[in-house]
Amino acid sequence: MAADNIRFSRILRKYDFLIQELEDVNEMHSEASREFMREVMIEKNGEEPEPVVSEPEEEETPEKVEMSKEYKKLFRKIVIQTHPDKQVEGLSDIEKLKLKEIYDSTIEAWDKGDQPTLISNAVKLDIDVSEFEEDFKEIEEACETIEKTINDIQGTSAWYYKYILKTEKEKKEFIKKFVGVMGDNESPNLSE
């Protein structure tokens, strides 16, 4: 059990890291795209484009994933070990705080249908999660997909312009070449 939990813990840490990395890369790419498009339009039209005012995007609420009986059992095991009213005597304040954080995270994960977080919390408590082997395979596949997405974003022209090119001269030359290749297209595809 311990060896499986260590392996599962590594997979979950990688997944958590990649999710955060993807959020950061998306935010950076959004900024890079705005700056890159502005420079492309200046080069193409000889003047600064009108600022675009866009309405804030509404965040979509993801549908809750229906939890299986196995996840319900896992949820209960975690809650029994971490519930603030059920904690054993003699724990330090730090230990109580850690258990409370796991408890809160577990409740939130249950409400959202966030299976990876439930499993991660179980691993932190050394609860056997070997019955979720198939789920770990899906998480590993999700990691590969996220890594590919990050690499694709970092391979765009906007990313290259903003984060790879270092000097203003390099950036100006790149914009000129880009506009030359773009020709008469009105809106370049920044994802290529």
Side-chain angles (χ1 to χ4, degrees):
M1 178 175 90
D4 278 344
N5 276 7
I6 290 170
R7 184 172 63 88
F8 295 153
S9 181
R10 285 184 183 140
I11 294 167
L12 291 165
R13 280 196 311 270
K14 180 178 181 180
Y15 176 79
D16 289 342
F17 171 80
L18 287 171
I19 291 293
Q20 184 60 52
E21 180 78 5
L22 181 60
E23 288 177 16
D24 293 346
V25 165
N26 275 328
E27 188 175 311
M28 292 171 70
H29 185 257
S30 179
E31 178 184 330
S33 293
R34 283 190 300 277
E35 184 177 323
F36 181 70
M37 279 303 300
R38 182 181 160 278
E39 294 301 321
V40 166
M41 297 311 288
I42 289 172
E43 176 65 27
K44 185 175 180 185
N45 300 328
E47 60 186 47
E48 182 127 0
E50 293 289 322
V52 176
V53 179
S54 60
E55 294 184 26
E57 294 180 25
E58 289 184 30
E59 287 189 32
E60 292 182 24
T61 306
E63 289 185 30
K64 181 178 176 181
V65 174
E66 195 61 37
M67 299 287 201
S68 66
K69 284 191 246 180
E70 291 80 13
Y71 277 103
K72 193 170 192 172
K73 287 179 194 173
L74 184 64
F75 171 78
R76 287 182 178 153
K77 286 179 185 178
I78 297 168
V79 169
I80 286 169
Q81 288 189 28
T82 60
H83 194 285
D85 296 338
K86 308 283 187 199
Q87 293 177 0
V88 295
E89 295 286 323
L91 293 176
S92 71
D93 288 343
I94 293 172
E95 291 170 316
K96 288 179 183 178
L97 182 61
K98 286 180 182 177
L99 290 174
K100 173 80 168 96
E101 287 173 356
I102 292 172
Y103 174 80
D104 291 342
S105 171
T106 300
I107 297 298
E108 183 179 341
W110 181 261
D111 290 343
K112 291 181 177 178
D114 181 357
Q115 296 168 343
T117 298
L118 281 179
I119 294 173
S120 178
N121 288 343
V123 168
K124 290 174 187 173
L125 298 168
D126 207 27
I127 296 171
D128 181 21
V129 293
S130 58
E131 67 184 295
F132 300 100
E133 181 73 37
E134 287 299 313
D135 293 343
F136 281 100
K137 289 178 183 169
E138 289 179 22
I139 293 170
E140 285 177 312
E141 290 171 7
C143 286
E144 290 173 13
T145 301
I146 294 167
E147 286 174 325
K148 183 184 178 325
T149 301
I150 290 169
N151 287 333
D152 288 348
I153 291 170
Q154 291 175 335
T156 62
S157 297
W159 189 276
Y160 183 76
Y161 172 82
K162 175 84 173 164
Y163 302 111
I164 306 299
L165 298 175
K166 299 298 178 200
T167 68
E168 286 302 313
K169 182 181 177 187
E170 290 174 319
K171 290 181 177 187
K172 287 181 193 265
E173 288 174 8
F174 181 73
I175 292 292
K176 284 183 184 205
K177 286 180 185 176
F178 185 87
V179 170
V181 169
M182 189 177 83
D184 292 331
N185 286 341
E186 287 299 314
S187 59
N189 183 352
L190 294 179
S191 64
E192 294 180 355

